[in-house]
Amino acid sequence: MMESRPSQFPGEALIQAPFDQGEVGMCQMMADGVLLRVNRRFCDIVRAREQNCLGGAFSGWIHPDDRPVCAGMLATIATGRQPSSGRAIRLDMGNAPSAWVQLTLIAVCDAEGALQHILGVLKDITEFKMAEDAFRRQHALFSRIMRHSPVGLIHLEPDGVIGMSNPEAARILGLPGDGAEGDQTAFSVIRWQAEHAGVPVEMDLPLRPESFPEPGAYRVFLPDGRERLVSVRISQVEKDEDLLEGAVLVLEDVTDRIRSEHERDRLHRELKQAVQQLERSNRQLQELLHEKMESAGVPDPKHREVPEACASAHFPVPAEVV
């Protein structure tokens, strides 16, 4: 018949104190994983009573997908290959969502080095795992937004290093690949020019968040000789009131739009000039026609007099209209 407690051995008192404190879940098991002893916190974590735990297999509380991992950990300890082993595993909580624990298995040996039992320590990390998973999902969503954004996005750190950029930003600025994360020299091959009071001003390199005085259109000269007009919107990221964390640059290639607007304005000016020229030609033609009619003695149709007979004529109005 299996004992509910392991036999006494030197140093067991060292384990007894933390076992009773209850800060983490603790259990003692045989080399095959049969539970010999559990503390109150262990029962809280697996949501079971002590009598339902003792004598049962420790793997019974492990999620089915993680049981092979747990069996490998036990075998590593039982065969003496390692004195301890640890990793994050899931617990089987039945119909409830799985709980995550950081499981550490430790070999407890007697004075001759013979294995007495295995000590299991369980720390509930469910909330940490949930937060980690939520962060991972948000990061994946953010990465998809960055990758498929129709505008260029760059996180510029205070020292000028590109913390993050997306493919559209790389395309606009002619950077290699999908971006230039962690590259402080990526901007050094690009000339940035802004206008202040109508005067072009070259931007200092390396670019830093404070280098951009205000949002607006910047003329960008790419390494291959091309030139682009880029609309830049800046959002400074402040860690606190006195410390600048960096800036997020929102880039939009407005080269085609600006050129289209300039072409539209040019066509509008040309059309306006053509209309004005047409109006001047029409006035000149009217004046020439008037002169010709006067020299030929032809009365101007605008001033032709109405015959007196027509002016004094009386036309009766039918009674039905009245």
Side-chain angles (χ1 to χ4, degrees):
M1 181 176 179
M2 185 180 304
E3 296 179 358
S4 62
R5 289 177 56 89
S7 59
Q8 296 288 332
F9 65 95
E12 184 178 12
L14 298 176
I15 298 175
Q16 184 66 35
F19 204 96
D20 295 335
Q21 287 178 0
E23 296 295 331
V24 294
M26 299 186 71
C27 63
Q28 293 178 356
M29 67 186 81
M30 298 175 63
D32 58 1
V34 174
L35 291 171
L36 303 174
R37 186 183 178 196
V38 297
N39 70 349
R40 181 183 56 80
R41 181 58 180 153
F42 179 94
C43 297
D44 292 341
I45 292 176
V46 300
R47 300 180 185 177
R49 295 180 179 179
E50 180 180 1
Q51 56 267 32
N52 294 333
C53 297
L54 298 180
F58 176 72
S59 59
W61 303 104
I62 307 300
H63 191 280
D65 293 343
D66 288 347
R67 285 174 187 171
V69 176
C70 182
M73 295 172 63
L74 282 171
T76 298
I77 302 299
T79 56
R81 293 197 299 269
Q82 292 182 2
S84 64
S85 178
R87 64 163 296 165
I89 62 171
R90 289 167 293 175
L91 298 182
D92 187 1
M93 309 303 292
N95 296 328
S98 299
W100 281 89
V101 295
Q102 180 65 37
L103 172 63
T104 302
L105 299 181
I106 304 170
V108 180
C109 303
D110 59 17
E112 286 74 28
L115 181 67
Q116 290 291 306
H117 60 270
I118 297 175
L119 177 67
V121 180
L122 290 75
K123 182 178 181 181
D124 190 348
I125 58 171
T126 304
E127 292 185 1
F128 171 79
K129 275 292 186 179
M130 292 176 61
E132 188 179 52
D133 291 342
F135 174 79
R136 188 180 294 111
R137 289 193 299 270
Q138 291 176 357
H139 186 270
L141 175 61
F142 179 74
S143 297
R144 289 196 298 270
I145 293 174
M146 285 280 290
R147 181 163 294 276
H148 299 291
S149 173
V151 297
L153 299 172
I154 291 178
H155 173 231
L156 192 62
E157 297 181 0
D159 57 0
V161 172
I162 297 177
M164 183 179 295
S165 63
N166 69 341
E168 180 62 11
R171 185 196 69 81
I172 291 175
L173 300 180
L175 299 176
D178 288 345
E181 287 82 353
D183 192 352
Q184 189 174 14
T185 63
F187 283 156
S188 63
V189 295
I190 304 171
R191 288 173 51 217
W192 292 69
Q193 190 180 86
E195 287 193 359
H196 299 283
V199 179
V201 177
E202 293 287 340
M203 304 288 287
D204 295 331
L205 293 173
L207 287 182
R208 301 181 187 276
E210 62 271 15
S211 300
F212 293 90
E214 58 184 13
Y218 291 81
R219 193 175 299 276
V220 179
F221 302 91
L222 304 182
D224 59 5
R226 289 180 298 162
E227 177 183 330
R228 281 204 175 107
L229 292 174
V230 180
S231 172
V232 181
R233 298 192 297 274
I234 304 100
S235 177
Q236 292 189 345
V237 181
E238 295 182 354
K239 190 171 184 179
D240 52 44
E241 296 181 356
D242 301 323
L243 181 61
L244 184 65
E245 187 72 11
V248 175
L249 308 183
V250 181
L251 311 179
E252 183 180 2
D253 186 355
V254 295
T255 305
D256 293 339
R257 189 186 75 190
I258 296 296
R259 288 176 178 172
S260 298
E261 291 176 354
H262 289 170
E263 181 66 15
R264 182 195 63 191
D265 294 341
R266 185 185 65 80
L267 292 175
H268 184 267
R269 289 193 300 271
E270 292 181 355
L271 178 61
K272 185 176 180 180
Q273 293 173 358
V275 170
Q276 292 174 347
Q277 181 62 37
L278 182 61
E279 291 176 347
R280 285 195 297 268
S281 299
N282 185 56
R283 286 194 299 269
Q284 293 174 358
L285 182 61
Q286 291 289 340
E287 291 173 358
L288 180 60
L289 180 61
H290 181 70
E291 292 176 359
K292 294 293 185 181
M293 292 179 67
E294 283 187 346
S295 62
V298 179
D300 190 342
K302 294 181 180 180
H303 301 90
R304 183 176 298 175
E305 295 182 357
V306 179
E308 183 178 351
C310 292
S312 59
H314 175 70
F315 299 96
V317 179
E320 58 271 17
V321 175
V322 179

